Amino acid sequence: MKIAFVGKGGSGKTTLSSLFIRHLAANEAHVVAVDADINQHLGAALGLAEDESAALPAMGAQLPLIKEYLRGSNPRIASAETMIKTTPPGEGSRLLRVREDNPIFDACARTVRLDDGDIRLMATGPFTESDLGVACYHSKVGAVELCLNHLVDGPDEYMVVDMTAGSDSFASGMFTRFDMTFLIAEPTRKGVSVYRQYKEYARDFGVDLKVVGNKVQGEDDLDFLRSEVGDDLLVTVGHSDWVRAMEKGRPARFELLEADNRMALQALQNAAEDSYGRRDWGRYTRQMVHFHLRNAESWGNEKTGADLAAQVDPGFVLDERFLHAEATQPA
């Protein structure tokens, strides 16, 4: 399953994504976590020390390796240099699997030991001073989008992505790469503003979107969220002494998280599982191709000097056949 956590800055998006990752690990799921926020805090929320978080390799810095590996022996892709963030897989491409070892995970992922199991953590890398005036943050998350396009995942396998705040992911087709998008909203007008943007964009592409109300303190807050987001409100989360201790760097064992909050996290997992069960692999692949062709026409062809529409393999559908098969893997 591919899960995104989105929301405005300060909504608690990173905190809740880290709690969900811990919950999945406690339930013995296989998890790859990705910090794709412009402000990189997921590592710290998962218990890493500041120097450990800073030492995480940046996916953006490994983009040539990522492209070369995923290209494999796909005859439609002349070189790694002609791949862009939306390039879809085809016959001969290498696919990624959550449980496997591969050069991308070797270069970009680090194992994080949680109370109830290990997860893999990857990070896009922070937006640095050297990027100012010469790059946008979309160049960082392009590595994540490529990996999502080439990831074939099973029902007990998760890639959880902590997205950058606001609606930046709509600059490409990345928002269609997820089985479920959890939007974290505070019970304020600003808190639900990002929801309205996401709802409008997501409607036309069948994106599953659920709202998680955060910092909800009473019935008035709950009534406000219900009136603003309606049936999209999945669950609410209130004050947590466990989270407060975690934010001070002194978390208790995860099993001591408040029962109401554990139940809320289980509701998130149930919603994700239901969404995965409805995944239409054919539509998923068609959307991938749709956004690739749009990006190729608008800027990709000019940037690479190639006709990127020719990279599309019309007979290829990414689906369950490849979970354990090596049909697209070159020798």
Side-chain angles (χ1 to χ4, degrees):
M1 274 166 271
K2 304 176 179 77
I3 310 297
F5 278 80
V6 301
K8 78 173 186 67
S11 64
K13 171 180 61 65
T14 297
T15 296
L16 282 170
S17 61
S18 72
L19 291 178
F20 185 60
I21 291 163
R22 291 176 185 270
H23 170 80
L24 293 175
N27 284 355
E28 300 183 346
H30 302 272
V31 183
V32 174
V34 182
D35 191 345
D37 197 347
I38 193 169
N39 299 305
Q40 305 262 286
H41 298 307
L42 184 58
L46 290 170
L48 294 185
E50 185 175 336
D51 59 337
E52 292 175 315
S53 293
L56 289 170
M59 294 179 70
Q62 298 294 333
L63 195 53
L65 178 151
I66 292 171
K67 289 180 177 181
E68 189 60 49
Y69 179 77
L70 295 177
R71 181 172 75 95
S73 61
N74 186 334
R76 297 176 180 273
I77 303 175
S79 68
E81 288 73 22
T82 62
M83 292 180 74
I84 61 174
K85 61 184 180 180
T86 54
T87 296
E91 191 68 30
S93 296
R94 290 191 178 98
L95 301 179
L96 298 179
R97 297 170 182 83
V98 169
R99 303 192 204 186
E100 72 180 1
D101 294 319
N102 59 57
I104 294 177
F105 288 160
D106 290 344
C108 301
R110 294 296 179 264
T111 298
V112 177
R113 296 191 172 181
L114 304 176
D115 289 344
D116 300 296
D118 296 347
I119 60 104
R120 280 171 163 156
L121 174 61
M122 301 198 294
T124 57
F127 196 72
T128 64
E129 185 176 343
S130 63
D131 294 317
L132 295 175
V134 296
C136 69
Y137 195 63
H138 303 130
S139 64
K140 303 283 188 180
V141 298
V144 181
E145 187 167 355
L146 259 180
C147 289
L148 286 167
N149 279 355
H150 289 75
L151 180 71
V152 56
D153 50 315
D156 59 343
E157 300 170 343
Y158 287 80
M159 180 171 277
V160 180
V161 183
D162 181 19
M163 300 286 287
T164 194
S167 55
D168 280 357
S169 65
F170 292 102
S172 71
M174 190 169 171
F175 72 100
T176 68
R177 301 298 85 205
F178 300 102
D179 295 294
M180 177 60 72
T181 295
F182 293 122
L183 189 144
I184 313 305
E186 299 170 84
T188 64
R189 292 174 64 184
K190 287 184 178 180
V192 298
S193 62
V194 176
Y195 160 77
R196 294 194 183 97
Q197 291 177 299
Y198 257 80
K199 186 68 174 179
E200 180 181 350
Y201 288 127
R203 185 182 295 115
D204 293 337
F205 291 93
V207 173
D208 277 346
L209 176 68
K210 291 295 181 183
V211 174
V212 179
N214 194 27
K215 306 176 186 177
V216 174
Q217 297 181 6
E219 284 298 318
D220 186 64
D221 286 347
L222 184 56
D223 290 343
F224 174 81
L225 286 172
R226 284 172 174 162
S227 67
E228 293 294 326
V229 308
D231 292 340
D232 286 337
L233 181 63
L234 175 65
V235 71
T236 62
V237 178
H239 173 77
S240 170
D241 290 335
W242 191 97
V243 169
R244 180 58 60 89
M246 180 269 288
E247 291 175 339
K248 293 176 179 177
R250 301 193 297 266
R253 286 192 59 81
F254 185 66
E255 63 191 26
L256 298 178
L257 180 70
E258 298 85 358
D260 287 350
N261 291 329
R262 292 295 292 265
M263 291 175 63
L265 294 173
Q266 186 60 54
L268 267 62
Q269 184 176 3
N270 293 344
E273 290 175 349
D274 289 344
S275 182
Y276 179 85
R278 300 190 301 272
R279 182 191 287 181
D280 182 339
W281 290 89
R283 184 182 71 178
Y284 184 84
T285 304
R286 289 193 299 274
Q287 288 176 342
M288 192 189 312
V289 169
H290 169 78
F291 281 101
H292 178 63
L293 294 177
R294 282 180 52 177
N295 278 268
E297 183 177 356
S298 63
W299 60 270
N301 290 344
E302 181 178 357
K303 180 178 180 179
T304 63
D307 176 12
L308 300 185
Q311 293 179 347
V312 175
D313 185 340
F316 183 86
V317 176
L318 185 70
D319 60 31
E320 300 101 322
R321 292 173 301 156
F322 302 113
L323 273 172
H324 303 291
E326 299 298 325
T328 63
Q329 304 290 80

